[in-house]
Amino acid sequence: PDRCPGQDIHPRHICKRLIMALISSNRQIAKNTIFLYLRMFVTIVVNLYAVKVVWSALGVDDYGIYNLVGGIVVMFAFLNNAMIASSQRFISFEIGTGNQEKLQQVFAISVTIHVTLAIIILILTETVGLWFLNEKLNIPDSRMSAANWVYQFSIISFIANVISVPYNACIVAHEHMKVFGYLGVLEVMFKLAIVFLLMVIPFDKLVTYAALVLGVSIIMRIIYGIYCSRNFQECQYSFKTDRKLIRSMFSFAGWSFLGNIGFSVRDQGLNIVVNLFFNVAVNAAKSIANQIGYVINGFYQNFQMALNPQITKRYAAGETASMIDLVFSGCKYSVFLMMIMVVPLIASADQILHIWLGNIAPYTVGFMQLTLLLSLIDSITGPVTTALQATGRIMKFQILISIIMTLNLPIAWIWLTFHDDPYIVLFVSIITSIIAVITRLLLLHNIVPYSYHICFNNVIFPIIFSLVGVSSIGWLTYQFFPKTFLWLILYGCTSVVCSSIIIYILGLNHKEKTSVRAILKSNLDKLFNNTTV
């Protein structure tokens, strides 16, 4: 603090400053979350409409081919995802320490590394991936040529996204979520334009769609680069070398690399396993479920995106107790946000899919329900993972998570050889994800000790009690509503209200309930005062 030499600072003033700093950071989290949720709602509406039109335009088989072929490219994402975690962690950490020179070095080295990664991914996808596409996948011969075009477009699109990572990491680390939200809305508007073009262009719909998606990726890459170079001092690229920093970033990324292999296996490898045992129609059903999962995941990912920089910055500032409180709150509120959305969607999955898409492929309903359950479990992991990454001590964490996630593939493969049921792949994923959640919590305790008693009382038990209550009410309520579109909307609104009440009663502690009541009272007072005026 600024003060005259010899002037003492009263402990009361220190506490006041700390409290004001915490309030300021929490307000920033709330503000950033609002911008991200505005972006998310626009994205949801556009994506749901886009998926419906693309499903109708491409047909079941071509839709399955597009997602299967794109999945091969994404399989190599574990190389890039490792560096995403490294870039975001190091950039956020240096912002927290206030070292501008080190921040510029981190950004420059991050760009160089990602360009190198893009070249490596290009080589792998054009050799191993291309061979696998043409020799191993179960794709009709009449669509193999189109599949190869989609594959090439997907490679270029993915590489553009890889090179964008350091720029996106700067936006998130600086907490410019307003811009991140605007650019996200712009991107979905481009995708909406693609949908309209797809309906009128007379060429092969599958190839045309992949080419247009590539065009959007390149345009967004240019926009992100221009914004960052104009607004962030460190984003003026110049080639830099710092062996110690490069070694630290690669060491961090190296262990993240292991963890991301596991998630690539679970999220994309299982799609390939499904194709090897079944056909592209089953892939299409799983792809629709995945699309719904990606949309719904935004409810906790946007909240966590606003939360994560503060977790890293608090650790960098030495505020570990405050960081743990933020992690626990983030875990609990993430699950509550998902719970409100997921439970009614699981209950009414069959009706929603038929209203939305009309004719659906077999297994789509079951895939959707299991995918949403998996998303609910995964929602608790983000803040814990960010806290572990903030410490930089991630070797044991990444090794264990990699092993747990990679087990999805052999277990699902063996199980499918004895039972002809595609749902098996998601049952396996759910079990391994629960094990992974427990593992993360145990590892965090070993690095940054916290009270198990507080964890269970403030996080685990409230989540379990709330889930039982929300699920019971949500499922029973659905049975009493007629199965029509208008009644479905009424059921959704009723479910949200009932779920919120149950979460308030069973999920929040006394302090949290007091805060909620104060916020509601403040907003109601403003509303009535404005009405009176």
Side-chain angles (χ1 to χ4, degrees):
D2 296 326
R3 59 189 178 94
C4 299
Q7 179 183 353
D8 293 326
I9 299 179
H10 195 278
R12 182 181 60 193
H13 296 155
I14 297 176
C15 292
K16 183 178 179 181
R17 290 184 182 183
L18 288 173
I19 292 170
M20 292 303 295
L22 288 176
I23 292 173
S24 177
S25 64
N26 287 334
R27 284 176 178 169
Q28 186 66 30
I29 292 171
K31 184 179 178 181
N32 290 337
T33 304
I34 291 171
F35 284 120
L36 290 171
Y37 271 96
L38 290 174
R39 170 196 182 218
M40 183 195 68
F41 282 119
V42 175
T43 303
I44 286 176
V45 173
V46 174
N47 279 341
L48 291 179
Y49 176 73
V51 169
K52 176 181 175 64
V53 175
V54 172
W55 172 269
S56 177
L58 297 184
V60 174
D61 285 354
D62 275 5
Y63 191 87
I65 290 170
Y66 177 79
N67 286 278
L68 176 64
V69 171
I72 298 176
V73 179
V74 178
M75 273 289 289
F76 295 97
F78 63 85
L79 294 169
N80 184 47
N81 289 343
M83 281 311 304
I84 290 176
S86 180
S87 297
Q88 291 181 341
R89 187 266 176 185
F90 278 85
I91 290 172
S92 294
F93 192 92
E94 296 306 332
I95 291 174
T97 60
N99 190 333
Q100 183 63 35
E101 182 180 353
K102 192 72 173 291
L103 179 59
Q104 290 176 327
Q105 284 186 321
V106 169
F107 174 79
I109 291 172
S110 181
V111 171
T112 303
I113 291 172
H114 277 87
V115 171
T116 306
L117 276 177
I119 296 171
I120 295 171
I121 291 170
L122 178 63
I123 294 170
L124 289 174
T125 51
E126 292 292 5
T127 53
V128 178
L130 192 61
W131 168 82
F132 193 83
L133 167 66
N134 288 281
E135 298 296 330
K136 296 298 180 181
L137 290 186
N138 184 17
I139 296 174
D141 293 337
S142 61
R143 302 304 289 154
M144 187 56 75
S145 175
N148 275 275
W149 277 108
V150 170
Y151 184 70
Q152 296 301 325
F153 290 141
S154 298
I155 291 172
I156 301 171
S157 178
F158 184 71
I159 286 174
N161 291 331
V162 169
I163 298 172
S164 295
V165 166
Y167 299 90
N168 295 2
C170 282
I171 294 175
V172 173
H174 282 281
E175 301 184 66
H176 283 209
M177 302 307 178
K178 184 176 182 179
V179 174
F180 204 75
Y182 288 152
L183 292 180
V185 171
L186 178 62
E187 185 173 0
V188 297
M189 290 298 105
F190 281 140
K191 291 180 178 179
L192 184 61
I194 288 176
V195 170
F196 291 125
L197 288 172
L198 193 63
M199 292 188 289
V200 298
I201 290 177
F203 309 114
D204 186 299
K205 302 290 187 184
L206 179 57
V207 176
T208 300
Y209 181 63
L212 292 172
V213 170
L214 167 61
V216 171
S217 296
I218 293 173
I219 291 171
M220 294 307 301
R221 160 69 190 91
I222 294 170
I223 293 173
Y224 276 114
I226 292 173
Y227 176 82
C228 290
S229 62
R230 290 183 177 179
N231 290 274
F232 304 135
Q233 184 180 346
E234 69 272 13
C235 291
Q236 304 299 325
Y237 176 75
S238 61
F239 183 77
K240 293 181 182 294
T241 57
D242 182 325
R243 290 185 179 180
K244 184 177 179 181
L245 180 58
I246 292 173
R247 190 161 51 247
S248 296
M249 292 183 70
F250 265 114
S251 175
F252 186 94
W255 295 116
S256 297
F257 169 85
L258 284 176
N260 282 289
I261 288 178
F263 282 100
S264 291
V265 167
R266 190 193 77 174
D267 296 336
Q268 301 302 327
L270 290 180
N271 289 338
I272 295 174
V273 170
V274 167
N275 179 259
L276 296 176
F277 280 89
F278 302 97
N279 53 45
V280 291
V282 180
N283 279 112
K286 191 170 185 299
S287 298
I288 287 293
N290 289 341
Q291 289 294 329
I292 295 171
Y294 295 147
V295 170
I296 298 303
N297 286 348
F299 278 89
Y300 77 86
Q301 289 173 347
N302 283 304
F303 170 65
Q304 291 178 3
M305 188 181 294
L307 186 77
N308 290 343
Q310 283 295 328
I311 292 175
T312 303
K313 290 173 184 177
R314 290 186 187 187
Y315 182 81
E319 302 169 4
T320 54
S322 173
M323 182 194 76
I324 290 295
D325 288 341
L326 195 58
V327 168
F328 284 168
S329 297
C331 290
K332 185 164 69 170
Y333 297 147
S334 295
V335 177
F336 288 162
L337 285 169
M338 286 293 287
M339 206 180 292
I340 291 172
M341 293 300 301
V342 163
V343 169
L345 286 174
I346 290 177
S348 57
D350 184 63
Q351 188 181 356
I352 288 172
L353 286 170
H354 280 94
I355 291 174
W356 177 35
L357 298 176
N359 295 324
I360 59 175
Y363 303 109
T364 307
V365 174
F367 275 139
M368 173 180 165
Q369 292 171 326
L370 292 172
T371 299
L372 290 174
L373 180 58
L374 179 62
S375 295
L376 182 63
I377 295 167
D378 284 344
S379 64
I380 198 174
T381 62
V384 182
T385 298
T386 301
L388 286 165
Q389 291 173 340
T391 67
R393 298 165 59 185
I394 60 171
M395 180 183 71
K396 186 184 295 185
F397 158 61
Q398 295 293 2
I399 290 174
L400 290 175
I401 295 302
S402 177
I403 293 171
I404 293 169
M405 292 293 105
T406 304
L407 285 174
N408 277 276
L409 196 61
I411 294 173
W413 186 292
I414 294 169
W415 202 345
L416 282 171
T417 58
F418 296 101
H419 300 279
D420 188 24
D421 184 355
Y423 295 142
I424 284 171
V425 296
L426 285 174
F427 285 131
V428 173
S429 294
I430 288 169
I431 293 170
T432 55
S433 291
I434 293 172
I435 296 172
V437 168
I438 297 170
T439 302
R440 286 183 181 90
L441 290 171
L442 292 174
L443 289 172
L444 181 62
H445 180 268
N446 289 336
I447 298 174
V448 185
Y450 61 84
S451 169
Y452 284 129
H453 177 76
I454 293 175
C455 179
F456 274 91
N457 284 348
N458 290 355
V459 183
I460 305 299
F461 289 149
I463 287 175
I464 293 174
F465 295 149
S466 298
L467 181 59
V468 171
V470 169
S471 300
S472 301
I473 296 298
W475 190 267
L476 289 173
T477 305
Y478 181 68
Q479 309 308 314
F480 291 99
F481 279 87
K483 305 304 182 281
T484 63
F485 178 69
L486 292 177
W487 281 103
L488 180 64
I489 294 175
L490 180 59
Y491 163 69
C493 296
T494 303
S495 179
V496 168
V497 172
C498 292
S499 298
S500 300
I501 294 172
I502 291 171
I503 289 171
Y504 174 82
I505 295 172
L506 301 178
L508 303 184
N509 57 38
H510 177 72
K511 182 179 178 181
E512 291 165 337
K513 289 177 181 177
T514 302
S515 298
V516 170
R517 287 196 299 268
I519 293 170
L520 290 175
K521 184 178 183 301
S522 174
N523 289 327
L524 288 173
D525 288 343
K526 289 179 182 178
L527 177 64
F528 287 125
N529 289 336
N530 290 336
T531 303
T532 303
V533 172

